[in-house]
Amino acid sequence: MNDYSQFVLANISKLPEAGTITCSSPSNIALVKYWGKRPIQLPENPSISFTLEACKTTTSLQYKKRNEPGEDFDFELLFEGKPKPDFKPKIKSFFTRIEEYLPVLKQYTFVIETSNTFPHSSGIASSASGMSALAFCLMQLERKINPEITDEECIVKTSFLARLGSGSACRSLEGPITVWGTHHEIPKSNDAYAIQFPYEVHQNFKNYQDTILLIDKGEKQVSSTVGHDLMHGHPFANKRFEQASINLTKLKEILISGDLNAFIEVVESEALTLHAMMMTSLPYFILMKPNTLTVINKIWEYRKKTGSKLCFTLDAGANVHLLYPDSEKNEVLSFITSELVAYCQNGQYICDKIGLGAKIL
Ligand code: DP6
């Protein structure tokens, strides 16, 4: 059993009466993918991601002390200004999971107001930015209750709580690159929370760009919970978990050395492996669309023709993330507008880049 008693808020003096905390937290894009977990929300393999900047959630948490602590959590949820009852069960189960570590939740009535910078149902997962933003707000409340907590302890616990909301959320709090999951070559890496990539990153990755092509904005065919479950009893599971660790070792060297050809190889292979895992599970899924494949082939042609370092990665969906150095921005953007936009649903794409994580607003 893991001992996470260090994360229990014990030092409760006076509870603040009422107030509002507002913060923003970004999405992130995994380079080595987290796919497969064991209870509760512990990853089967380590993962590493670029924190994004433009795709983010802004959350404000209004809190008001109740006269008596209630039997149940008391919160309202507004998404983009309107009540959103279908998000409530997810928040309720998040509260249930984290109550052990934040035992004041039932002493408050909350109003949670949240909105995303990216279009709703764009196929961009909002759980990473949404859960990290909420965990961040809650930790600012904890800070008022226990002002002794240090910045370092606060960020670690925020990531720990965010993970209990959604695994990938724990990688969104800091930037530009974070690692989650124990890896023998990354000191302090662990399964309970993410840490910043602890080495100096090569200049080539400074301001690295991520343009997200919205290929298919339909509702996700496979929820992440179902998706991760597919790795239980999957015939290739153990090999895949080993491979993720090996890829993280490679990526560590690549991020330090700035070897962009090697970067392309690891990142694209990770994306295709994630989808290969889905195609070879029972039940099986194909989450790529014909346009996803067309775009991938176009990227490969473009690279061959121009020597560009543009590459792609995928989430558990049809959208394509185009990753490329800042120095190629103009050329790649004109390639996107002339050749790729036609394959995006309603011509939509989002320009993002590597960012620095959550902040108080
Ligand atoms: C394919 O973090 O959404 O994006 O822990 O069940 O909330 P839960 O899953 P989630 O899974 C993300 C999977 C991925 C890869 C990644 O981000 O590492």
Side-chain angles (χ1 to χ4, degrees), residues 44 214 223 308 312 339:
E44 292 283 15
L214 305 181
S223 75
S308 161
F312 72 86
E339 302 245 3

Side-chain angles (χ1 to χ4, degrees), residues 30 33-35 37 41 127 166-168 171 224 228 274 315-316:
K33 310 286 181 183
Y34 147 58
W35 198 242
K37 63 178 168 184
Q41 294 287 100
S127 67
S166 175
S168 56
R171 296 189 312 239
S224 59
H228 290 287
L274 169 71
D315 264 343

Side-chain angles (χ1 to χ4, degrees), residues 213 322 330-342 347 349:
L213 305 183
L322 302 180
N330 294 339
E331 294 86 338
V332 173
L333 280 174
S334 70
F335 167 60
I336 292 170
T337 46
S338 64
E339 302 245 3
L340 302 182
V341 165
Y349 62 95

Side-chain angles (χ1 to χ4, degrees), residues 66-307:
R66 290 155 89 168
N67 295 333
E68 295 284 324
E71 292 263 295
D72 211 344
F73 305 112
D74 183 12
F75 66 96
E76 252 182 73
L77 188 76
L78 299 172
F79 177 68
E80 277 155 16
K82 296 194 194 86
K84 191 78 183 165
D86 37 328
F87 282 6
K88 281 190 93 170
K90 209 165 177 198
I91 307 287
K92 191 175 169 190
S93 69
F94 175 53
F95 279 178
T96 307
R97 275 188 196 159
I98 66 171
E99 192 191 9
E100 198 183 334
Y101 307 103
L102 209 55
V104 297
L105 292 174
K106 287 185 180 147
Q107 310 224 30
Y108 283 96
T109 296
F110 296 111
V111 180
I112 304 162
E113 282 198 65
T114 174
S115 59
N116 296 333
T117 54
F118 44 91
H120 184 48
S121 77
S122 54
I124 298 183
S126 58
S127 67
S129 55
M131 285 298 174
S132 57
L134 182 54
F136 196 87
C137 285
L138 289 168
M139 280 308 293
Q140 298 310 306
L141 175 60
E142 166 159 340
R143 250 208 144 139
K144 292 180 196 290
I145 299 168
N146 172 23
E148 248 118 80
I149 190 168
T150 63
D151 288 348
E152 164 76 16
E153 286 164 344
C154 191
I155 198 76
V156 163
K157 182 167 171 184
T158 311
S159 174
F160 174 85
L161 295 181
R163 184 200 97 232
L164 292 169
S166 175
S168 56
C170 77
R171 296 189 312 239
S172 273
L173 295 150
E174 296 182 283
I177 300 173
T178 59
V179 177
W180 170 41
T182 308
H183 189 272
H184 58 287
E185 286 190 33
I186 313 258
K188 298 203 178 149
S189 62
N190 73 92
D191 290 350
Y193 54 87
I195 58 164
Q196 255 174 318
F197 180 69
Y199 302 97
E200 188 159 351
V201 175
H202 194 277
Q203 278 294 317
N204 282 353
F205 294 102
K206 199 166 179 246
N207 270 332
Y208 223 69
Q209 304 289 309
D210 179 4
T211 301
I212 308 160
L213 305 183
L214 305 181
I215 303 285
D216 183 70
K217 304 193 292 167
E219 283 297 309
K220 270 189 161 181
Q221 263 182 58
V222 188
S223 75
S224 59
T225 308
V226 172
H228 290 287
D229 255 1
L230 298 174
M231 292 307 279
H232 290 129
H234 191 295
F236 308 138
N238 289 335
K239 272 281 165 229
R240 160 60 197 154
F241 302 144
E242 262 172 49
Q243 179 203 39
S245 273
I246 294 167
N247 280 344
L248 187 42
T249 301
K250 289 186 186 165
L251 210 51
K252 174 194 148 196
E253 296 305 325
I254 291 166
L255 291 169
I256 296 169
S257 70
D259 182 344
L260 293 176
N261 291 328
F263 179 79
I264 292 170
E265 189 175 279
V266 172
V267 167
E268 293 189 346
S269 160
E270 272 290 318
L272 295 177
T273 301
L274 169 71
H275 283 255
M277 289 299 112
M278 286 181 239
M279 288 192 242
T280 49
S281 58
L282 279 177
Y284 39 79
F285 296 94
I286 300 182
L287 299 187
M288 290 185 273
K289 297 282 180 199
N291 283 352
T292 311
L293 293 176
T294 306
V295 163
I296 290 175
N297 280 300
K298 291 226 163 230
I299 293 168
W300 287 344
E301 270 168 36
Y302 175 75
R303 218 161 53 212
K304 209 162 166 193
K305 208 166 65 192
T306 62

